[in-house]
Amino acid sequence: MTLRMYLHKPKQIFICQVDLGGNQPVYPQYAIAIKNISLGTIGILKEGMTLLLGTAPGKDDYGRIRFKHMSPDFPTNVIHVSRFSHGTNDGEGHLVENSYITILEEFRVWAKVPRMIGAVVYKDGEYWGNVNSKYPPPCANAGTGVAGTIGGNSKLSVTFYMGNSFKWDAGVGVAGGYMLPLTQWQWEIGDGTLTSGTLTSQSITVDFPAGFRYVYLKAWGETYPAPDAAVPNVHIQSVPVFARNPAADLSTTAFQIRSHTHTFVGQEITAEFYQPLLRTDYPDGAMMMLWDDAISYDPTQRYHMLFIGWHNVDAATITAEETSVLHSTTLTFLDVGRRLELLPGFSQVIEYNANPTTWSMTRFPTLFYYFWFILFWHSTAIDVTEFLRESPDIMTMEFAILGSERGNLYDQCQSIAEKVRPDHHFTCHHLGILHIVRDPMIQDYSARLDVELDNWTENDWTSISFPYLRPSRLYQIRTMAIISRKTYIIVNGKNELEIIACRVPGEAPGQGMELLEVNEGITLNQTQLNMTEGNRYARLNSRYGMFNITIPYSRINYLYDISRMQWVKLTISGSNITERELAATFNNKRGICHEMSIQYDYTDTGLVRTATFTWEMETWGMPAETEVLWPDVPTPATLEARANARI
Amino acid sequence: MSDYRAKTGINQTLVSLTRIPLQPTSPGVMATRRTIMSDGSILDQGLYVEWNYNVIEDAAQLLLVLTPLGLHTAKSAAVTIYTRDDLYGYQRYNGVAHRPPASWENYFARGVTIRIINLELST
C-alpha cells in the first residue's frame, strides 16, 4: 500500500495590471478594467478560475476572487469577476492603479453571492432572472478527478463519460422531471490524445503525458429566445487529471494522515507534513488528490482514488527536543460537500409559474430543480464535480412554493432533502460526487431495495459495541405535510396548500417521554406519509442504538461508500453472541452506516489502517394513523367546492 | 544455503536480482499487526522483513550490502527482494527498503538491521 498525494501547484496562466484610469475605485465591484497583459491571452481563461489581486504577479495581498468572463461590452480590456466589497480576504478585493492581477489554472468551491437591490435580485452579482429562470443552463457531468502513475508508454489512460449530464426542458413534463439528455456537448482535453471516441462522443478515452491538467466538458442547454439567441446557454465542468511520472515525481508520500472521517456531508482529512510547502507554491485553499497506488489502476474506474478536496486550514507546531528543534505542519482538507458547509446561503423562495420573469419563479417546479438551483446559482460546486440524478421522488415531486432559510449551502440542501417524505439526504461520495439519496430506513419497507454494499461477518470485524434500549424515547409523533403539487388550491379566493397530517403510534400515546412534532414536509399522499412516519417512530424508538464496529481497512469492499446509503449486512453468530441475545438476533441484519473514521497507524514496519463505523440496524414500523385536521371538510376538493359555493 | 537477493525497482525478475554479497540472517516475513478476527481467523497486515547482521566490519562492507538495495545513495528505495517468507521458502517481494540507523560500537557496526516494509508478492 502506498498512499500518494498530489498537492496542486496552480499554474499562473494570465497576468495583467489594474487600470483605474486615474479614478478612485468603486465598491462593491464586479468589473475590473485591465491593461498590460504580460502573460497569457484572454482566450485561455475559463469561468471559475481563481484570480489573485496583489502588489506583484502571483501575490494575493490585495484579495482573492473568482474570474467569470470578459465584459460583453469591452471584451478585451474589462473582466467580470465575482462581485466583491473592499477588503483582502477571500471574495474581497482592494483595487490599486497598476497593481497586479494573476489568474491561476485552478477551480475551487466558491459561493456565488446574490446581489439584492430592493426586490430585484441579480444572481452571482449580475445575472437577472427573466431569461435565466425560463432557460436555465444545463448540467455538465463529466465525472470525477483522477490521479495515477504513467504506464509503460509514459502515458496515463483515462476514460470519461458524460451520460449523466442533462438539460432542462419544460416540454418534457413532470414525468420526465423536466429534463432531457444533452444534445450538444464538447470535450476539451488539453495535452491529451484521444484513443477512443471523438470530442463529441458520450464516452472518450484519452492518453495523457506526465503532469497536471484540467479536462473540460461543455454542455449546451436550450437556446435562448431573441434577442439572446446568439448567447450560448452553457455549463462547463472541469475535471482534474494528474499523471505521475516516478522519474520526476510531483506527488508526495512524505506525510502522515492524522484523521480521516467520512459522513453523509463528505470527507475531512488532516495530514501532517515534514517538508517545505510554501504558500507561494501551494496557495491557501489549493486542491489535493489522494490515492492508493497499490490498487490497480483502471482507466474506466476511480477505485484507487480516496479523496479529492481543497486545503482549508493549517496548524503548525515547533518543539524543542533534547537533540534538536522539530517542527511540522498539519493541513486539513475538505471535499466539496464539506466545503459547502462553510459557504453562506441566503434566504430565498421559488414559486411555480408557467411563464417566470423573476428569480423567485420557475417553470420547473421539482425538488431536483430546487437543489440544482441552490447549487448552480449559489456555488461553483457543480462546476467542479458531478451532481447525479437518482431518486425518482426528487425528480418528480413538485412544489407550488418552496423556500430556504439563511444558513450554509449544505444545510440549505439538506434541510429540503430531509423534508421530503420519505426522507432524503444530500450526500457526498468519497470521489466528491453529490447525491440526493432516499433514506432506506424511512421509506416503505416493501420498496426498500435489497442491494447490499457490503456484508460483514466474523471474518471481517474485530470489535462491536452497541446499546440495547428497551424503554421508548418518544410517546408520539405528530406530523403535518403538504401534498406535492405545483398549483395551489383556491379557498375563499386565496391560494392555499393542501395539508395532511398523521400521528403515530395512534391516538393513545406510548410510554416514551417526548412528543415529536414534525411540521414541515412534502409528500405524495396520505398513505406515503403514514408509512414514513410509522417508520420514523420505529427508528427513533429502536431497541438497538448505534453500533460501533471496528474493521481492518483491507476487509472493506472497495466499492463501499457511505454516501450511497445502501445496506451493509452484519452477522454475529455462535459463541460471539452476547449474554442476553438470541442466536438469530444478528444474522445477516441489514443496516446503514452513518460515519466512517479511519485510523492510520504509522509504525517502523509499516502502515496499518483500521476503520470504525457507526452502523444503524434496520427498523420499520406500523403505519401512522391519519389525523383529520378539519373533520367536516374531508378533502380539499370538497373544501374548495364548499368554499366557492359559500356553504 | 541462504540466497537473499535484491534489486531496485519493483517486479524485477529473479535472474536480474543481485545476490547480496554478504548474506544476512532473517526470521522471515513478518506482520506489523496480526489481528485475530472474531471468527478466530488471522489477518496479517503490513508485511515486512528484517535482514540482520551481527557485525559489519567497515564502510566498504556496508556499501556492498546497501548497494543492491539502492540504499547507498538513498535513505529508502522501492525494491524487489528475494527473501524467506513465514514458511521459510524463498519468494520475490516488492517493498520499500530502509537504510539502517547508525550503530557503530567497539570498532564495528553492530546489530545492523535492514528493514524492508510494505511487502507484496512480485508479479
Side-chain angles (χ1 to χ4, degrees):
Chain A
M1 168 214 337
T2 304
L3 296 182
R4 292 196 179 279
M5 182 183 288
Y6 173 72
L7 280 167
H8 187 38
K9 221 175 189 176
K11 195 164 65 180
Q12 298 174 7
I13 59 168
F14 186 84
I15 295 174
C16 63
Q17 287 177 282
V18 172
D19 182 3
L20 292 177
N23 299 311
Q24 288 299 309
V26 176
Y27 303 101
Q29 188 55 265
Y30 67 90
I32 306 174
I34 60 170
K35 62 186 176 185
N36 301 336
I37 297 172
S38 56
L39 176 70
T41 59
I42 286 164
I44 61 173
L45 300 178
K46 292 267 190 307
E47 178 161 0
M49 287 178 166
T50 307
L51 187 151
L52 312 180
L53 295 166
T55 49
K59 285 198 160 188
D60 65 355
D61 46 343
Y62 285 170
R64 208 160 49 168
I65 49 183
R66 173 171 50 91
F67 172 80
K68 283 162 63 179
H69 54 86
M70 299 306 295
S71 163
D73 301 322
F74 305 99
T76 58
N77 61 344
V78 176
I79 57 175
H80 281 210
V81 298
S82 50
R83 188 167 176 264
F84 62 95
S85 286
H86 194 188
T88 57
N89 295 310
D90 279 359
E92 300 170 357
H94 175 56
L95 296 176
V96 176
E97 184 79 83
N98 295 326
S99 60
Y100 286 87
I101 290 174
T102 307
I103 298 183
L104 306 176
E105 188 187 28
E106 181 205 56
F107 300 88
R108 304 177 177 195
V109 186
W110 295 84
K112 294 178 181 171
V113 180
R115 177 187 183 188
M116 286 161 272
I117 307 171
V120 181
V121 177
Y122 294 90
K123 293 292 184 193
D124 200 11
E126 62 174 326
Y127 300 107
W128 46 299
N130 192 350
V131 170
N132 287 301
S133 58
K134 264 197 203 100
Y135 301 95
C139 185
N141 275 325
T144 62
V146 62
T149 302
I150 56 175
N153 61 351
S154 299
K155 305 281 186 187
L156 182 76
S157 179
V158 184
T159 298
F160 301 90
Y161 175 72
M162 54 66 64
N164 295 319
S165 308
F166 59 89
K167 64 177 180 178
W168 299 103
D169 189 322
V172 178
V174 65
Y178 301 104
M179 288 175 279
L180 280 177
L182 295 184
T183 50
Q184 189 183 356
W185 64 91
Q186 177 92 30
W187 295 97
E188 195 177 309
I189 58 173
D191 58 356
T193 306
L194 276 172
T195 59
S196 163
T198 69
L199 294 178
T200 55
S201 296
Q202 189 176 66
S203 176
I204 58 172
T205 301
V206 185
D207 275 356
F208 294 100
F212 179 89
R213 79 286 296 151
Y214 282 98
V215 165
Y216 303 98
L217 174 68
K218 189 176 193 177
W220 276 264
E222 278 193 287
T223 306
Y224 294 127
D228 299 318
V231 178
N233 183 11
V234 297
H235 175 235
I236 298 174
Q237 192 211 318
S238 59
V239 183
V241 177
F242 172 64
R244 169 182 171 260
N245 178 1
D249 201 348
L250 298 176
S251 70
T252 181
T253 56
F255 62 91
Q256 293 191 345
I257 295 178
R258 294 289 172 235
S259 73
H260 183 174
T261 56
H262 190 186
T263 64
F264 295 146
V265 182
Q267 285 192 99
E268 177 174 328
I269 287 182
T270 300
E272 191 167 6
F273 293 82
Y274 309 95
Q275 63 181 32
L277 291 169
L278 297 179
R279 290 198 171 92
T280 45
D281 291 334
Y282 304 97
D284 294 342
M287 191 191 64
M288 183 273 267
M289 294 198 278
L290 179 73
W291 74 100
D292 189 341
D293 230 7
I295 298 175
S296 53
Y297 180 80
D298 180 342
T300 64
Q301 305 293 339
R302 307 285 192 265
Y303 297 143
H304 66 298
M305 296 298 300
L306 302 178
F307 179 84
I308 301 169
W310 292 265
H311 163 252
N312 189 41
V313 292
D314 292 356
T317 58
I318 310 165
T319 315
E321 303 281 353
E322 281 186 44
T323 53
S324 177
V325 176
L326 300 176
H327 54 84
S328 67
T329 301
T330 302
L331 274 65
T332 299
F333 301 94
L334 306 177
D335 69 4
V336 61
R338 293 270 184 171
R339 281 289 303 151
L340 287 170
E341 218 180 15
L342 298 178
L343 295 175
F346 300 91
S347 57
Q348 61 193 306
V349 66
I350 305 182
E351 194 170 16
Y352 169 67
N353 188 307
N355 187 26
T357 53
T358 70
W359 281 117
S360 58
M361 301 175 184
T362 183
R363 57 182 185 143
F364 309 94
T366 65
L367 293 170
F368 187 76
Y369 176 85
Y370 192 85
F371 289 111
W372 172 88
F373 179 81
I374 289 179
L375 292 171
F376 181 85
W377 285 113
H378 303 90
S379 83
T380 59
I382 55 178
D383 301 346
V384 298
T385 192
E386 283 200 314
F387 178 45
L388 295 185
R389 297 174 294 165
E390 287 160 317
S391 166
D393 300 333
I394 295 293
M395 288 192 286
T396 57
M397 282 175 78
E398 293 183 298
F399 60 84
I401 185 166
L402 193 59
S404 295
E405 299 293 335
R406 185 182 62 187
N408 67 62
L409 287 169
Y410 175 83
D411 282 351
Q412 284 200 326
C413 289
Q414 172 62 14
S415 67
I416 296 296
E418 65 191 25
K419 288 183 177 71
V420 181
R421 303 289 172 262
D423 300 23
H424 283 61
H425 288 269
F426 179 53
T427 67
C428 185
H429 191 274
H430 75 269
L431 297 177
I433 302 166
L434 296 172
H435 300 273
I436 301 165
V437 292
R438 218 176 347 214
D439 188 334
M441 217 70 92
I442 294 291
Q443 79 176 117
D444 179 7
Y445 183 82
S446 62
R448 297 177 186 180
L449 295 175
D450 198 23
V451 177
E452 64 191 55
L453 262 186
D454 215 343
N455 192 339
W456 295 337
T457 66
E458 268 99 350
N459 194 27
D460 299 308
W461 53 267
T462 57
S463 78
I464 293 179
S465 63
F466 60 90
Y468 179 81
L469 310 161
R470 175 75 198 209
S472 299
R473 273 75 71 202
L474 300 179
Y475 67 78
Q476 195 174 53
I477 299 179
R478 302 188 73 175
T479 299
M480 289 197 292
I482 57 171
I483 295 282
S484 165
R485 62 162 58 139
K486 67 184 177 187
T487 51
Y488 294 99
I489 56 172
I490 311 297
V491 179
N492 283 338
K494 290 182 178 173
N495 287 344
E496 297 287 352
L497 298 167
E498 185 181 355
I499 299 173
I500 56 174
C502 67
R503 61 190 166 196
V504 58
E507 189 268 330
Q511 291 291 308
M513 198 191 74
E514 293 180 26
L515 167 70
L516 176 65
E517 291 184 314
V518 184
N519 293 325
E520 292 183 344
I522 182 166
T523 187
L524 285 174
N525 52 50
Q526 183 78 55
T527 305
Q528 187 186 60
L529 183 68
N530 292 356
M531 197 72 76
T532 59
E533 297 315 290
N535 288 336
R536 188 187 316 283
Y537 185 78
R539 171 189 244 178
L540 296 176
N541 278 330
S542 167
R543 299 265 174 96
Y544 291 94
M546 290 290 182
F547 286 59
N548 285 310
I549 303 175
T550 305
I551 295 182
Y553 189 79
S554 59
R555 287 287 201 242
I556 302 168
N557 184 342
Y558 62 91
L559 290 176
Y560 178 77
D561 193 274
I562 272 182
S563 70
R564 314 264 300 269
M565 293 191 81
Q566 290 178 333
W567 299 122
V568 173
K569 287 184 178 171
L570 178 67
T571 295
I572 307 173
S573 61
S575 59
N576 292 324
I577 290 289
T578 55
E579 287 69 17
R580 284 175 56 77
E581 300 297 343
L582 300 175
T585 307
F586 297 110
N587 188 24
N588 261 338
K589 283 292 177 190
R590 299 196 301 194
I592 56 171
C593 291
H594 289 248
E595 181 173 340
M596 175 173 71
S597 175
I598 304 171
Q599 182 181 323
Y600 294 72
D601 292 323
Y602 293 89
T603 73
D604 287 350
T605 56
L607 167 62
V608 178
R609 284 181 286 181
T610 308
T612 305
F613 289 87
T614 305
W615 182 85
E616 180 188 18
M617 189 192 288
E618 181 181 23
T619 53
W620 63 94
M622 304 298 292
E625 175 187 277
T626 300
E627 195 161 9
V628 180
L629 294 171
W630 301 281
D632 59 336
V633 190
T635 69
T638 308
L639 180 68
E640 184 182 356
R642 288 180 182 178
N644 291 336
R646 299 280 192 272
I647 292 170
Chain B
M1 193 176 77
S2 60
D3 189 21
Y4 295 94
R5 304 184 195 195
K7 188 179 181 184
T8 55
I10 62 170
N11 294 325
Q12 305 282 11
T13 59
L14 180 58
V15 292
S16 71
L17 303 184
T18 302
R19 189 166 188 276
I20 306 297
L22 188 62
Q23 287 281 297
T25 62
S26 173
V29 170
M30 296 182 287
T32 298
R33 180 182 293 171
R34 168 161 284 196
T35 305
I36 310 301
M37 308 304 291
S38 44
D39 66 350
S41 61
I42 286 173
L43 174 67
D44 283 342
Q45 296 169 275
L47 298 183
Y48 73 100
V49 69
E50 290 179 342
W51 287 358
N52 299 319
Y53 296 91
N54 287 334
V55 170
I56 298 277
E57 293 182 0
D58 54 26
Q61 204 173 60
L62 182 65
L63 205 59
L64 283 177
V65 172
L66 297 186
T67 301
L69 292 157
L71 299 179
H72 59 306
T73 54
K75 290 193 176 184
S76 66
V79 293
T80 305
I81 59 169
Y82 192 54
T83 193
R84 280 198 169 105
D85 61 16
D86 57 342
L87 297 173
Y88 314 124
Y90 280 90
Q91 302 276 2
R92 266 184 319 125
Y93 289 93
N94 297 329
V96 179
H98 291 176
R99 185 190 288 179
S103 60
W104 194 266
E105 187 184 356
N106 286 342
Y107 312 110
F108 300 115
R110 297 173 191 272
V112 175
T113 297
I114 298 171
R115 200 171 267 155
I116 302 116
I117 70 167
N118 289 355
L119 293 185
E120 288 174 347
L121 284 171
S122 296
T123 55

